[in-house]
């Protein structure tokens, strides 16, 4: 963050960092996070050690945050940031200004991803990976213990693929995009297939299916998986997304940034919640019935997985709109 120098031109009332934090309902550290992300501008006044902020700009940000959070500030004054990529508003979300559900309905996962990355739609976009990158990632992932989970496999595969890429430190836009287009299929290929001999050709959804299910997919199933992937491409500043951005802001290469995101994703309050909920369902199936309601908190003090998710900003749990994105 760099403060602007004060000028002699007339300006509206300036607020101190403390006043700004109180108006926004956040901590002072969060105020500087807003500045670093371009949501607020700050200025140092002559003879004043602290930064000052334009009152009108702060009030506008406060109104926007209240609107986006349904009027209720997050616990602990959480950071709310609108990015150029994703907007969540009125119970819907948008990728670069286009309704994400409509994009997923009309375009493949690869095409939606290209739209997020470049702002351009590339009909028929396909992601492929060099055989050498896939081979080294697979060898590294296959060396892990048999019980290793998919997130650990993906992290190890990303590190192995990075070591095999001598151009990983090239952070030019074209190089970063090229790395991303090859890393995605590399990571998918590093996951063990459940149907041997299948799953190394075609779109990403087709390849991933062979690593998620023993069943032969029909067209509707593959379309549903492709839609789900497109709708999960980005959800604004989720914890894992923020971790990736922090790593990228430190000029980390693509593999390192993705590894940072995968590390956060495994947390039980983020991506790890799905695995915990799945384990709970398996326990119920083994017993034959749900039985008595489970206690609200299992051993370890964590909330019971899958119970009472945080409310959507519009109120209540997020509706299952993604499941209605395609007609089967």
């Amino acid at each position: 963050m760099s403060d602007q120098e004060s000028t002699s031109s007339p300006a509206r009332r300036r607020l101190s960092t403390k006043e700004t934090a109180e108006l926004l309902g956040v901590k002072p550290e969060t105020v500087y996070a807003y500045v670093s992300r371009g949501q607020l501008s700050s200025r140092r006044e002559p003879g004043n050690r602290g930064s000052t902020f334009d009152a009108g700009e702060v009030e506008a940000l406060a109104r926007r945050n209240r609107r986006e959070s349904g009027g209720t500030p997050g616990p602990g004054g959480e950071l709310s940031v609108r990015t150029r990529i994703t907007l969540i508003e009125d119970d819907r979300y948008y990728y670069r200004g286009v309704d994400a559900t409509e994009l997923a309905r009309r375009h493949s996962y690869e095409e939606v991803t290209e739209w997020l990355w470049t702002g351009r739609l590339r009909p028929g976009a396909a992601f492929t990976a060099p055989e050498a990158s896939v081979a080294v990632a697979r060898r590294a992932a296959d060396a892990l213990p048999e019980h290793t989970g998919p997130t650990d496999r993906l992290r190890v595969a990303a590190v192995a693929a990075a070591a095999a890429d001598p151009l990983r430190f090239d952070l030019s836009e074209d190089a970063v995009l090229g790395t991303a287009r090859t890393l995605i299929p590399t990571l998918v290929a590093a996951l063990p297939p459940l149907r041997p001999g299948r799953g190394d050709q075609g779109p990403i959804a087709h390849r991933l299916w062979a690593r998620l299910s023993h069943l032969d997919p029909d067209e509707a199933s593959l379309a549903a998986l492709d839609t789900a992937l497109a709708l999960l491409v980005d959800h604004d500043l989720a914890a894992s997304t923020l971790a990736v951005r922090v790593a990228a802001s430190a000029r980390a290469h693509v593999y390192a940034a993705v590894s940072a995101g995968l590390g956060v994703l495994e947390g039980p309050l983020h991506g790890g919640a799905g695995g915990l909920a799945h384990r709970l369902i398996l326990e119920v199936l083994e017993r034959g019935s749900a039985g008595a309601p489970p206690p609200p908190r299992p051993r370890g003090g964590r909330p019971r997985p899958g119970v009472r998710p945080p409310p959507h900003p519009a109120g209540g749990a997020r509706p299952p709109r993604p499941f209605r994105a395609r007609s089967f």
Side-chain angles (χ1 to χ4, degrees), residues 65-75 313:
N65 286 353
R66 285 194 295 269
R67 183 173 64 249
E68 292 178 356
S69 63
T72 303

Side-chain angles (χ1 to χ4, degrees), residues 67-300:
R67 183 173 64 249
E68 292 178 356
S69 63
T72 303
E78 293 176 347
L79 179 62
S80 175
V81 179
R82 178 175 297 185
T83 73
R84 293 181 300 170
I85 302 298
T86 302
L87 169 66
I88 301 176
E89 189 172 70
D90 297 331
D91 199 26
R92 302 188 73 86
Y93 62 107
Y94 304 83
Y95 294 156
R96 291 188 180 271
V98 180
D99 188 291
T101 302
E102 290 302 315
L103 275 173
R105 189 200 307 272
R106 301 172 185 273
H107 299 279
S108 69
Y109 161 74
E110 289 87 342
E111 291 169 347
V112 173
T113 302
E114 288 286 347
W115 172 251
L116 254 73
W117 287 343
T118 68
R120 299 186 298 273
L121 284 171
R122 293 178 55 212
F127 297 158
T128 58
E131 291 184 7
S133 176
V134 170
V136 71
R138 276 180 172 164
R139 285 197 301 270
D142 290 345
L144 295 169
E146 186 177 352
H147 65 271
T148 301
T151 306
D152 284 332
R153 288 182 178 275
L154 293 175
R155 285 211 306 267
V156 168
V159 172
D165 183 359
L167 302 179
R168 62 186 179 278
F169 294 107
D170 183 352
L171 298 183
S172 64
E173 182 176 349
D174 288 343
V176 168
L177 288 173
T179 300
R181 294 183 183 113
T182 61
L183 181 56
I184 290 174
T186 297
L187 294 179
V188 172
L191 296 173
L194 300 180
R195 303 166 66 239
R198 306 282 185 90
D200 286 329
Q201 303 295 328
I204 293 297
H206 293 215
R207 304 182 211 182
L208 188 59
W209 180 276
R211 290 159 170 84
L212 297 176
S213 175
H214 294 279
L215 302 176
D216 288 325
D218 54 24
E219 184 177 347
S221 299
L222 290 173
L225 179 57
D226 185 76
T227 300
L229 291 174
L231 290 171
L232 292 172
V233 164
D234 191 85
H235 275 179
D236 203 30
L237 285 180
S240 53
T241 309
L242 183 59
V244 171
R245 293 188 178 207
V246 170
S249 71
R251 305 296 288 170
H253 55 68
V254 175
Y255 305 93
V258 169
S259 296
L262 288 171
V264 174
L265 183 67
E266 198 171 26
L269 298 182
H270 194 13
L276 295 173
H278 182 253
R279 189 180 309 163
L280 176 63
I281 292 172
L282 292 180
E283 292 174 2
V284 171
L285 292 175
E286 288 177 0
R287 290 201 305 264
S289 67
R297 290 181 181 271
R299 286 179 297 178

